[in-house]
């Protein structure tokens, strides 16, 4: 997705060889027009799958997921990272380790929102080591629903998450695949996007 790649080059910052800061348009301030295009791109990739629900992780996965949900006309569920007074019964949980924050979180959804008949599309902002995606997959597995695909806004292809998920048989579609962040330079994978 060329618009996203250009945004990353213009407004993203490689803070280290493994950390990409994109708070100008995705992780803090959100660019609604870019999110609309992201929603359209995911719709075009996954619209023939019979998807009935989108599952994401708070908070940076919400904007691209809502735009995709709007495009597909389906609900979006986001797994919470924090305890909520209103989310207190019928919970499904999974543990997720964040390498960026160097902490583990228990994520949760209310089981009533995903049924065994659902076809679920998982969407997240980043894919690096695959921990967030694995946690979301674990939640879907607990519901006995099916995962029809995984949509990723930015994949750090030099880390193992994408390979692990694809080897496990999941259809992972990343809109931008980063090959390297070495010495502050953002380099994309060449060739066809997956």
């Amino acid at each position: 997705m060329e618009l996203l790649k250009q945004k990353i080059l213009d407004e993203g910052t490689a803070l280290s060889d493994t950390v990409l800061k994109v708070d100008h348009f995705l992780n803090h301030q959100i660019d609604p027009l870019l999110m609309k295009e992201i929603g359209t791109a995911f719709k075009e990739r996954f619209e023939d799958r019979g998807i009935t629900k989108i599952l994401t992780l708070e908070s940076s996965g919400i904007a691209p997921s809502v735009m995709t949900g709007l495009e597909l006309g389906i609900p979006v569920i986001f797994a919470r990272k924090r305890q909520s007074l209103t989310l207190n019964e019928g919970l499904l949980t999974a543990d997720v380790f964040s390498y960026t924050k160097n902490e583990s979180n228990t994520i949760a959804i209310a089981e009533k929102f995903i049924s065994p008949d659902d076809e679920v599309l998982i969407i997240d902002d980043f894919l690096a080591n695959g921990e967030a995606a694995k946690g979301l997959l674990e939640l879907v597995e607990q519901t006995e629903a099916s995962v029809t695909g995984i949509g990723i806004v930015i994949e750090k292809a030099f880390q193992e998450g994408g390979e692990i998920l694809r080897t496990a048989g999941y259809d992972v579609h990343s809109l931008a695949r980063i090959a390297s962040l070495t010495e502050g330079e953002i380099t994309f994978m060449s060739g066809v996007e997956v």
Side-chain angles (χ1 to χ4, degrees):
M1 183 176 172
E2 292 307 314
L3 177 62
L4 175 60
K5 289 179 181 178
Q6 196 57 54
K7 272 282 198 192
I8 293 168
L9 291 174
D10 292 345
E11 299 176 25
T13 305
L15 296 180
S16 72
D17 288 354
T18 59
V19 178
L20 175 64
K21 183 176 179 179
V22 290
D23 64 347
H24 280 79
F25 58 90
L26 180 61
N27 292 128
H28 194 59
Q29 175 173 271
I30 296 171
D31 180 333
L33 296 176
L34 177 63
M35 292 305 116
K36 184 177 184 317
E37 293 300 317
I38 286 170
T40 299
F42 284 140
K43 175 192 175 199
E44 289 171 357
R45 173 63 182 234
F46 294 111
E47 68 184 329
D48 62 344
R49 306 286 177 89
I51 298 164
T52 58
K53 302 277 173 72
I54 294 172
L55 178 62
T56 192
L57 188 58
E58 72 172 346
S59 62
S60 297
I62 294 174
S65 295
V66 167
M67 292 309 225
T68 305
L70 186 63
E71 288 286 326
L72 292 170
I74 59 173
V76 174
I77 298 110
F78 65 90
R80 292 181 179 259
K81 295 179 191 172
R82 295 163 207 57
Q83 188 70 25
S84 168
L85 293 175
T86 61
L87 188 64
N88 57 9
E89 58 185 49
L91 294 182
L92 302 174
T93 63
D95 291 324
V96 173
F97 183 77
S98 169
Y99 287 93
T100 305
K101 296 177 182 174
N102 196 29
E103 66 183 23
S104 189
N105 289 297
T106 298
I107 61 172
I109 61 170
E111 66 182 332
K112 66 184 176 184
F113 291 121
I114 301 179
S115 73
D117 296 333
D118 279 318
E119 298 291 329
V120 180
L121 172 62
I122 291 173
I123 293 180
D124 206 5
D125 60 337
F126 271 96
L127 174 59
N129 293 295
E131 294 299 311
K134 286 188 261 184
L136 293 170
L137 286 165
E138 185 179 328
L139 292 176
V140 175
E141 185 177 295
Q142 291 175 50
T143 70
E144 299 180 3
S146 298
V147 173
T148 58
I150 300 173
I152 301 296
V153 178
I154 302 169
E155 177 183 347
K156 293 190 245 174
F158 57 89
Q159 292 179 292
E160 64 187 5
E163 182 180 340
I164 289 169
L165 295 171
R166 289 180 183 98
T167 300
Y170 293 103
D171 179 13
V172 180
H173 180 64
S174 300
L175 299 179
R177 297 184 75 213
I178 306 289
S180 172
L181 298 171
T182 304
E183 296 180 14
E185 184 176 335
I186 301 166
T187 308
F188 294 100
M189 299 286 291
S190 59
V192 178
E193 295 298 316
V194 295

